[in-house]
Amino acid sequence: MKWNKKGLIYGPDGDSWWAQKGALQPTPLLRSDGSIRVFVGMRTREGVSRVGYVDVSANDPSQVLDVSREPVLDIGIPGAFDENGVVPCAIIERDDKLYLYYAGYQLGQRVKFYVFGGLAISSDGGETFERYSDVPICDRTDDELFFRVIHTMMYENGRWRAWYGGGSEFTESAEGRQLPSYNIRHAESADGVTLRNDYTVCVDMNKGEYRVGRPYVLKKEQRYLMFYGAGTEADGYRLTYAESVDGLAWQRKHSEVGIDVSSSGWDSEMQAYPAVIITECGAYLFYNGNNYGETGFGYAELETW
């Protein structure tokens, strides 16, 4: 496939009390009026993220139509799993409501942080969300002590299927920094809310990678397409791609992802957190750039599959 990069769409101007920098992990929803509502995590200068949205035109996603004035989902109560930040991961329409699967962050003492998956539900089209629970729907397990977050939830043939990031360790960089280490997994859910504890590792780390994550899965004809990110110390975070016939066994096809960092500018050092949406106007890839989306998020338009 080949993507035509269109540039940066949006980043906060810094004047808001809650949205001062970054627009992390863009998570798009095609709306009935033809616009695309992109949920993002907007951070304070201290790095605490809250969920907001940026509405863009499906005809031209560089055209910003509206931006949320206040968070649609705030951080959790003190001591909760999401007390230090919430970031959108997946959004689905179900029973005339929006289900937002999100990552909740909590700082650690001997490790940098923990991140587990929460769920919030909107009855007003995504203007506000209410937590399904104050505890994570994807809590820690023996195999997922530090990381367990859903990034794709799909209803297929009478069952809910989730692709998520899970892991239990940090590795140490050459400079002594803690690097989160996790891979991409699949598990089923009886109700589209809680995951079963048994899982299949879909994409594991290659040599030199310390994490692979943010699995954004689509089904096209009889193939499953996964857009995700892979992190190495040498190159930072890069977008990559895999295919599957059953959603369980995946073939990595990095050479076919069709996009790479720019020679200069907002995505010259890093590309991260992909999300792909197909509309009548075209297919778009939303993603973050340098320093995990510090300047905001941008997009690319599909030229050829």
Side-chain angles (χ1 to χ4, degrees), residues 154-175:
M154 183 185 298
Y155 188 69
E156 183 181 43
N157 299 325
R159 58 178 177 159
W160 290 98
R161 307 184 68 184
W163 289 267
Y164 70 102
S168 297
E169 64 179 330
F170 285 83
T171 61
E172 187 172 313
S173 73
E175 295 81 21

Side-chain angles (χ1 to χ4, degrees), residues 109-148:
Q109 292 293 322
R110 297 178 65 183
V111 297
K112 289 176 63 175
F113 60 83
Y114 314 96
V115 55
F116 296 105
L119 173 64
I121 301 173
S122 175
S123 301
D124 57 10
E127 295 295 328
T128 59
F129 285 85
E130 296 290 334
R131 280 172 170 75
Y132 174 83
S133 171
D134 285 327
V135 299
I137 62 168
C138 299
D139 210 340
R140 70 181 67 216
T141 69
D142 285 339
D143 292 336
E144 295 148 341
L145 291 176
F146 303 147
F147 320 109
R148 195 173 186 229

Side-chain angles (χ1 to χ4, degrees), residues 18 36 261 271 274 304:
W18 63 283
I36 301 172
V261 293
Q271 291 179 323
T304 56

Side-chain angles (χ1 to χ4, degrees), residues 65-278:
L65 305 176
D66 196 14
V67 178
S68 56
R69 276 65 171 173
E70 296 292 330
V72 298
L73 181 67
D74 208 333
I75 58 175
I77 61 174
F81 79 101
D82 51 2
E83 67 175 351
N84 202 63
V86 289
V87 176
C89 298
I91 185 83
I92 63 170
E93 295 186 75
R94 179 181 177 187
D95 303 325
D96 296 322
K97 297 178 181 179
L98 296 181
Y99 280 53
L100 176 68
Y101 300 86
Y102 70 92
Y105 286 80
Q106 191 170 32
L107 299 182
Q109 292 293 322
R110 297 178 65 183
V111 297
K112 289 176 63 175
F113 60 83
Y114 314 96
V115 55
F116 296 105
L119 173 64
I121 301 173
S122 175
S123 301
D124 57 10
E127 295 295 328
T128 59
F129 285 85
E130 296 290 334
R131 280 172 170 75
Y132 174 83
S133 171
D134 285 327
V135 299
I137 62 168
C138 299
D139 210 340
R140 70 181 67 216
T141 69
D142 285 339
D143 292 336
E144 295 148 341
L145 291 176
F146 303 147
F147 320 109
R148 195 173 186 229
V149 178
I150 295 170
H151 288 273
T152 298
M153 180 68 79
M154 183 185 298
Y155 188 69
E156 183 181 43
N157 299 325
R159 58 178 177 159
W160 290 98
R161 307 184 68 184
W163 289 267
Y164 70 102
S168 297
E169 64 179 330
F170 285 83
T171 61
E172 187 172 313
S173 73
E175 295 81 21
R177 296 182 296 115
Q178 285 188 343
L179 302 175
S181 183
Y182 46 79
N183 56 23
I184 295 171
R185 307 175 181 198
H186 170 277
E188 293 192 12
S189 171
D191 54 7
V193 177
T194 55
L195 288 186
R196 292 173 51 146
N197 285 346
D198 54 313
Y199 63 86
T200 299
V201 174
C202 295
V203 179
D204 210 347
M205 291 165 282
N206 279 345
K207 184 178 180 180
E209 294 173 343
Y210 63 87
R211 61 175 168 178
V212 289
R214 176 44 159 177
Y216 207 88
V217 177
L218 304 174
K219 191 172 184 183
K220 185 176 184 291
E221 298 171 350
Q222 299 304 309
R223 293 181 302 158
Y224 296 86
L225 317 179
M226 180 190 292
F227 300 85
Y228 64 101
T232 67
E233 285 195 69
D235 296 325
Y237 227 21
R238 294 290 188 271
L239 303 186
T240 190
Y241 175 71
E243 290 185 5
S244 174
V245 295
D246 61 4
L248 296 175
W250 292 81
Q251 182 180 1
R252 295 178 64 146
K253 295 188 173 186
H254 178 69
S255 63
E256 298 182 23
V257 69
I259 193 170
D260 202 353
V261 293
S262 300
S263 58
S264 62
W266 73 281
D267 67 344
S268 60
E269 301 171 6
M270 176 186 293
Q271 291 179 323
Y273 310 128
V276 172
I277 187 169
I278 300 172

